[in-house]
Amino acid sequence: ALLCSSAAAVGLLKWLERRQIQQKMEEARRTRDLALERMEKAARWFKQEVVCTQTAHILSLTMVELVEKLKEGSLSPESVLYSYIGKVKALEVTREVNCVIDFIHGCEDQLQKLKKQKEKGLLYGIPISIKDHINCKGHISSGGMVKFLGQVKEEDSVIVQVLKSQGAIPFVKTNIPQTMINYDCSNLIFGQTLNPLNHQKSPGGSSGGEGALIAGGGSILGIGSDVAGSIRLPSSFCGLCGLKPTGSRIRYIPTSVLFLLPPAFVLAVTGMLGPMARDVDSLALCMKALLCQEMFRLDPTVPPLPFDEEVYTSSKPLRIGYYEEDGYFQPSPSMKRAIQQTRKLLEDAGHTLVPFAPPKIDYMVDELFTRGIFSDGAAHLVDCFKGDIVDPNLKSQFNTYRLPTLVKRILAIILKPIVKVSACRSAKNLWDQHGAVAVYRTEFIAKWRKLRLDVMLCPALGPAFNHGYAGKLFAATSYTNLYNVLNFPAGVVPVSTVTRADEEELKRYRGYYRDPWDKRLKEAVEGAVGLPVAVQCVALPWQEELCLRFMKEVETLA
């Protein structure tokens, strides 16, 4: 009787805890729905009060064209903002793909202040979407987790302050996967975000809400973050351009995301914020706006290096390293074809292409990236789930992370490093880990220098995955996480679409190891005919302008 009573009491407590979590989620969803209603009312008010016949024209303009028309006064900031607010609702972008989680209501007050300013910044009147975890005054940064829902931020993050100082208008926050340690885009609070190009596909992650909103036409510029490819993967999946800068070139990932990772990860694997847009010129303009005196004043840890326009606009032929595969995860047929076609276009345009083999990728993924990002054996991440419910799309990863250390070590011998997350057991182990990253970076740069390379062309993971696969294929990020370990600037540019021939060739895909992960990758990318295929462009640290110049060249030729 005592045992039965105890079991019943434990069961009741668990039920009450789960019910409390669900109530918090329901409240967050109600708040989101009210915010979207407020957006709709704002757009409706503008339509009633102001006759705007230019909405379709506004939405068809590139960001550079839009900036020019706003500065010359042929378009007003109101018409642009409300056109995009209306677009989010009018074309059902949010209702169809579930990408917006909050309306930044202060954008209307900011609009009025902007009209009174004499000096127009580089992004004057441009509406911008912001990833969930980036702090905006008066709003939460949930990380897709219940425990952070009640924490309303008291001030804007540095990057939001700088964007506003340049005349940009942050107007919505976008969805992310729970914990952001996943490149799908789903959490139990706000649900699954879909790819606007194909609803059966993921938009990628963790900046998936940004990818879906921009690709769906609801935003012209967004700010994401990237620890293993979280800007580049959604850009690849959604057919966008995205840039992961060098770690401190703009602003390091804010502390609001670090609750998901141990502090030691800061040194071993570099994460950063960066822009996402429909074309490379928009990324360049955003970088130019961010690399300003206001950024250097607000954050003295950012090196005071203004954007070098001369490098970006140069037409000097480039010496380009390239590789079609990394020897760790066999690329899908469309990934490989994208590199082959882009290489040919670059050679025909007068550039020099040099074969390159990235050194020791298995070692980089196993020992440097996986152990670097989970240097505590993922204990901190597992602790974050106390008082929360794990999203089904994250369960495969989460169950791996909480395995006993001995089991992880045994599995790591026979399986890919998705299970190689054993902790650095001493300060010396941690120092050795950081030292190994530095040695690998030195070796990589030496190989780069020996070949006298300017930039690198390499695959971007894709095409877009079917739902539910990203959480089971964390190791497939080897093509992107390499450049987080190295801390090199890297960007993604769409160059083609998946063909029926690619789909036929996929039927013969086996992978390098012919293990469950290789089989899953084949299943993940099936059924993607017509979806975008991207390539990745890379430069050495602090050479964002050169990276963007290379991306622009690829974009123009493709």
Side-chain angles (χ1 to χ4, degrees):
L2 183 61
L3 284 171
C4 288
S5 299
S6 299
V10 169
L12 179 62
L13 285 171
K14 285 188 174 180
W15 180 86
L16 288 171
E17 182 182 41
R18 193 175 182 87
R19 181 63 192 140
Q20 190 176 35
I21 291 169
Q22 288 170 339
Q23 286 173 342
K24 289 179 179 178
M25 289 179 180
E26 289 164 7
E27 178 61 30
R29 285 192 283 270
R30 282 194 294 271
T31 302
R32 185 265 314 270
D33 292 343
L34 288 171
L36 294 181
E37 282 178 25
R38 187 167 179 175
M39 279 180 71
E40 199 161 26
K41 284 178 184 175
R44 200 161 49 237
W45 169 85
F46 184 71
K47 279 185 180 179
Q48 290 170 352
E49 296 295 320
V50 181
V51 178
C52 183
T53 58
Q54 297 178 298
T55 298
H57 175 60
I58 288 168
L59 297 173
S60 71
L61 295 172
T62 67
M63 194 175 93
V64 172
E65 292 168 341
L66 200 55
V67 164
E68 288 173 0
K69 291 189 179 297
L70 282 161
K71 285 191 175 176
E72 72 186 23
S74 60
L75 287 177
S76 69
E78 293 103 323
S79 63
V80 174
L81 175 62
Y82 288 107
S83 289
Y84 271 95
I85 288 176
K87 170 77 170 176
V88 172
K89 302 306 290 182
L91 288 188
E92 300 288 323
V93 177
T94 302
R95 286 184 182 142
E96 283 188 16
V97 301
N98 188 37
C99 52
V100 173
I101 60 166
D102 203 359
F103 174 48
I104 302 174
H105 46 77
C107 68
E108 294 179 283
D109 292 333
Q110 190 197 342
L111 181 63
Q112 299 310 314
K113 291 176 185 174
L114 197 64
K115 287 160 60 179
K116 296 173 185 175
Q117 288 178 2
K118 292 180 181 178
E119 197 171 321
K120 296 179 179 179
L122 292 175
L123 298 176
Y124 175 75
I126 296 294
I128 292 188
S129 47
I130 304 290
K131 187 176 178 179
D132 165 277
H133 74 88
I134 299 170
N135 292 351
C136 294
K137 184 178 179 180
H139 299 267
I140 62 166
S141 298
S142 73
M145 303 191 74
V146 169
K147 66 191 293 183
F148 300 106
L149 285 177
Q151 301 179 16
V152 177
K153 302 304 173 183
E154 295 182 0
E155 64 178 10
D156 290 328
S157 60
V158 167
I159 196 164
V160 171
Q161 291 180 58
V162 175
L163 288 167
K164 287 181 176 180
S165 75
Q166 288 284 20
I169 306 174
F171 75 115
V172 290
K173 295 194 83 175
T174 54
N175 204 23
I176 55 167
Q178 187 180 42
T179 74
M180 294 177 286
I181 306 298
N182 191 342
Y183 57 103
D184 201 338
C185 192
S186 170
N187 62 75
L188 291 173
I189 304 167
F190 301 114
Q192 173 77 54
T193 297
L194 310 177
N195 190 317
L197 308 179
N198 181 334
H199 293 182
Q200 303 307 310
K201 298 284 185 176
S202 166
S206 61
S207 308
E210 285 299 318
L213 183 63
I214 298 167
S219 175
I220 199 166
L221 177 67
I223 302 297
S225 60
D226 193 310
V227 175
S230 291
I231 286 171
R232 290 162 288 160
L233 292 169
S235 296
S236 171
F237 285 16
C238 293
L240 303 173
C241 299
L243 176 70
K244 176 203 80 68
T246 310
S248 297
R249 184 71 198 268
I250 292 181
R251 168 70 172 161
Y252 193 74
I253 287 182
T255 53
S256 59
V257 70
L258 297 184
F259 49 65
L260 305 177
L261 299 165
F265 112 99
V266 175
L267 297 175
V269 178
T270 311
M272 63 290 295
L273 302 175
M276 298 167 65
R278 294 176 216 156
D279 56 67
V280 178
D281 279 339
S282 298
L283 302 181
L285 181 57
C286 182
M287 288 294 292
K288 186 176 179 180
L290 289 170
L291 297 173
C292 65
Q293 289 305 313
E294 183 68 0
M295 171 68 83
F296 308 144
R297 183 186 70 81
L298 289 170
D299 187 355
T301 66
V302 172
L305 300 171
F307 189 82
D308 192 331
E309 189 74 28
E310 187 178 341
V311 172
Y312 178 61
T313 56
S314 170
S315 57
K316 180 174 78 83
L318 297 168
R319 189 172 171 87
I320 303 164
Y322 75 92
Y323 55 95
E324 296 175 2
E325 46 195 79
D326 66 3
Y328 183 78
F329 239 103
Q330 184 180 345
S332 66
S334 58
M335 285 169 67
K336 191 169 184 176
R337 177 178 58 79
I339 293 295
Q340 291 169 345
Q341 290 182 350
T342 305
R343 184 194 76 195
K344 176 86 165 53
L345 290 169
L346 289 163
E347 283 176 333
D348 291 348
H351 301 287
T352 302
L353 276 291
V354 182
F356 184 90
K360 301 184 292 187
I361 290 294
D362 53 346
Y363 165 75
M364 184 282 298
V365 176
D366 290 15
E367 302 296 335
L368 304 184
F369 175 75
T370 308
R371 282 191 172 164
I373 202 168
F374 298 122
S375 54
D376 66 343
H380 186 83
L381 180 61
V382 171
D383 284 346
C384 278
F385 279 96
K386 289 176 181 174
D388 217 318
I389 304 171
V390 180
D391 185 276
N393 285 317
L394 194 64
K395 270 191 176 175
S396 176
Q397 271 178 266
F398 180 74
N399 290 337
T400 300
Y401 299 151
R402 65 179 182 178
L403 287 171
T405 302
L406 180 61
V407 176
K408 287 179 189 173
R409 285 184 191 150
I410 293 169
L411 289 175
I413 296 169
I414 55 174
L415 296 175
K416 279 195 175 97
I418 190 64
V419 295
K420 200 157 189 178
V421 289
S422 55
C424 295
R425 287 168 292 167
S426 68
K428 183 183 182 302
N429 288 156
L430 191 57
W431 294 341
D432 290 345
Q433 169 73 26
H434 298 319
V437 169
V439 168
Y440 182 79
R441 186 182 296 124
T442 301
E443 289 175 359
F444 197 101
I445 291 172
K447 187 169 185 177
W448 182 301
R449 294 291 195 202
K450 187 176 181 180
L451 295 171
R452 297 178 290 111
L453 303 179
D454 296 311
V455 289
M456 184 79 70
L457 173 71
C458 50
L461 183 63
F465 282 15
N466 293 312
H467 290 296
Y469 279 91
K472 301 170 186 174
L473 281 165
F474 193 58
T477 63
S478 60
Y479 287 98
T480 49
N481 67 43
L482 168 63
Y483 296 107
N484 293 89
V485 171
L486 291 170
N487 194 16
F488 287 12
V492 156
V493 183
V495 295
S496 183
T497 56
V498 179
T499 64
R500 295 199 179 278
D502 293 329
E503 199 78 2
E504 280 300 310
E505 192 177 340
L506 183 65
K507 292 176 182 176
R508 298 185 290 276
Y509 180 94
R510 294 292 178 269
Y512 296 129
Y513 297 87
R514 303 195 176 195
D515 61 11
W517 282 271
D518 287 327
K519 184 181 177 183
R520 282 176 188 163
L521 185 71
K522 179 181 177 180
E523 294 169 355
V525 299
E526 285 175 337
V529 172
L531 290 181
V533 183
V535 296
Q536 192 172 195
C537 302
V538 184
L540 290 174
W542 311 107
Q543 295 186 10
E544 280 72 18
E545 297 88 343
L546 182 59
C547 184
L548 286 163
R549 184 257 151 128
F550 180 35
M551 290 170 68
K552 179 68 177 174
E553 184 77 4
V554 169
E555 178 186 57
T556 303
L557 293 172

